[in-house]
Amino acid sequence: MALKLKTKHFLTGEELSREELTELLTLAETVRTERKAGKTRTELAGKNVSLVFEKPSLRTRMSFTVALFELGAHAIELVSSFRKKESPEDTALVIAQYSHGIMVRTFEHENLDRMSKNCPVPIINGLSDSHHPCQVLADLQTLQQSFGKLAGLKLAYVGDGNNMLNSILLLMPYLGVHVTYACPKGFEPNAFIVKKAKARAKEGGGSITAVANPKSAVEGADAIYTDVWASMGQEDEELEREKIFKDYQVNETLYAASGKPNAIVMHCMPMVRGKEITESMADHPNSVIYRQAENRMHAQKALLLGLLAR
């Protein structure tokens, strides 16, 4: 199938309609199946995409590099700091002279907004402090693989109200998923994003519910999701956060509170075993954590095809 996205840039995921998201997920599953069968694609032959890393990376680097290679394109890695000398605008315009697209993994989301303002080639958000939409594309694919549907599923998120939760709220309920989250006081997701996400949830048939404690969040959940308690750039807060988040660990007791023996366990990684998730839950038979990581590649292949195969 051919996917042609109307948007030029992919910064938060809000750029895509429900129909486009659904088509993207279908294509992601198609390319996954094709890869397993040894089938190759060449739609991006002769193109190159620059991968700009202000933050270190494992999954983003590997998944985009392999995805581009397997679509016939070339990946060019750049290590950049927008805090020094060259502005994000100039950086994007210079890279655009050489590349057909730019993936950026950065700190301030403003960098992406500034880069995309006048950039003639697509900008893809590989991660920012506010949003992680590529991960949620992979998560949606993982949910669909696990349950054969998205609409009507309940996903419980337990932990920090960070970029991961922001993107989950913006995208999952828009496709009919009911998201319930529990965060410690003072660590809730961005209020403006929550307001936008609730409006999108009404449009998409999903819902968003905030609860006071993790046990209430996971009751009846089909999927239980968590993330690290201290993200990159918050290392100096790590010990204090461990005290605040100690009751938000995904463990056997919390998992049992879901009341669903087939509930899946999700984590975007990297994970700190023994902190936000126990060893036994990370390696639980219903853990789909490594499948999420694999699906980054498939979902991003679909995204790249939708943006660049024109």
Side-chain angles (χ1 to χ4, degrees):
M1 65 174 288
L3 174 65
K4 293 190 177 181
L5 300 175
K6 294 176 184 176
T7 183
K8 178 189 288 184
H9 307 299
F10 183 76
L11 305 184
T12 69
E14 297 167 86
E15 301 88 355
L16 306 190
S17 67
R18 286 197 308 282
E19 292 75 16
E20 287 177 318
L21 282 167
T22 300
E23 289 177 18
L24 188 151
L25 294 173
T26 299
L27 180 56
E29 195 60 21
T30 297
V31 297
R32 183 188 74 85
T33 304
E34 289 175 349
R35 186 179 198 259
K36 196 172 181 180
K39 184 177 178 180
T40 59
R41 282 178 171 259
T42 58
E43 288 97 325
L44 300 188
K47 295 190 176 183
N48 67 73
V49 174
S50 292
L51 310 180
V52 181
F53 294 98
E54 191 180 14
K55 281 187 173 185
S57 170
L58 173 59
R59 278 152 297 279
T60 300
R61 174 177 278 111
M62 287 294 298
S63 59
F64 268 106
T65 301
V66 176
L68 287 163
F69 176 79
E70 293 187 357
L71 292 174
H74 298 281
I76 303 171
E77 274 196 25
L78 300 168
V79 178
S80 175
S81 175
F82 300 121
R83 292 169 173 78
K84 296 181 180 178
K85 298 181 181 177
E86 204 146 23
S87 70
E89 293 90 342
D90 286 346
T91 299
L93 288 171
V94 169
I95 296 174
Q97 309 309 307
Y98 317 117
S99 295
H100 299 92
I102 306 171
M103 188 289 300
V104 184
R105 182 176 169 89
T106 187
F107 287 92
E108 295 88 354
H109 191 79
E110 180 191 6
N111 290 331
L112 290 157
D113 290 332
R114 291 174 62 182
M115 290 182 80
S116 64
K117 191 173 181 181
N118 296 307
C119 187
V121 302
I123 302 281
I124 297 172
N125 179 5
L127 176 141
S128 70
D129 283 348
S130 300
H131 299 276
H132 199 358
C134 284
Q135 178 64 53
V136 178
L137 293 180
D139 296 338
L140 286 165
Q141 184 180 3
T142 305
L143 285 169
Q144 201 153 38
Q145 288 170 346
S146 300
F147 299 103
K149 64 175 186 177
L150 292 173
L153 294 178
K154 178 182 177 181
L155 180 137
Y157 179 95
V158 176
D160 190 19
N162 56 15
N163 54 358
M164 198 64 248
L165 181 54
N166 288 340
S167 289
I168 286 173
L169 295 178
L170 283 170
L171 296 180
M172 289 194 180
Y174 189 55
L175 292 182
V177 179
H178 301 290
V179 177
T180 301
Y181 66 90
C183 305
K185 188 175 181 180
F187 294 87
E188 299 90 349
N190 180 280
F192 177 70
I193 289 176
V194 172
K195 184 178 179 180
K196 282 199 299 181
K198 285 185 175 180
R200 286 168 57 83
K202 286 183 181 179
E203 188 181 342
S207 64
I208 296 171
T209 305
V211 296
N213 64 78
K215 185 177 179 182
S216 297
V218 304
E219 287 176 358
D222 299 295
I224 300 172
Y225 201 119
T226 192
D227 191 9
V228 290
W229 292 339
S231 298
M232 274 182 279
Q234 298 173 335
E235 289 80 5
D236 58 337
E237 304 173 23
E238 191 169 349
L239 294 178
E240 184 61 28
R241 280 173 172 258
E242 285 181 15
K243 298 174 187 175
I244 296 169
F245 284 88
K246 62 182 175 61
D247 295 328
Y248 291 77
Q249 183 186 66
V250 173
N251 52 36
E252 295 81 352
T253 302
L254 188 66
Y255 181 81
S258 73
K260 291 195 172 182
N262 293 322
I264 61 173
V265 179
M266 305 182 77
H267 194 306
C268 57
M269 301 185 84
M271 59 182 163
V272 184
R273 292 168 178 257
K275 301 295 184 183
E276 74 274 5
I277 188 168
T278 59
E279 291 270 2
S280 60
M281 293 314 302
D283 298 326
H284 192 277
N286 292 341
S287 169
V288 294
I289 293 171
Y290 295 105
R291 184 140 48 95
Q292 290 174 261
E294 176 194 341
N295 285 339
R296 284 289 301 275
M297 174 176 60
H298 307 310
Q300 288 161 191
K301 274 186 180 179
L303 178 64
L304 289 162
L305 287 168
L307 292 173
L308 297 176
R310 300 176 179 179

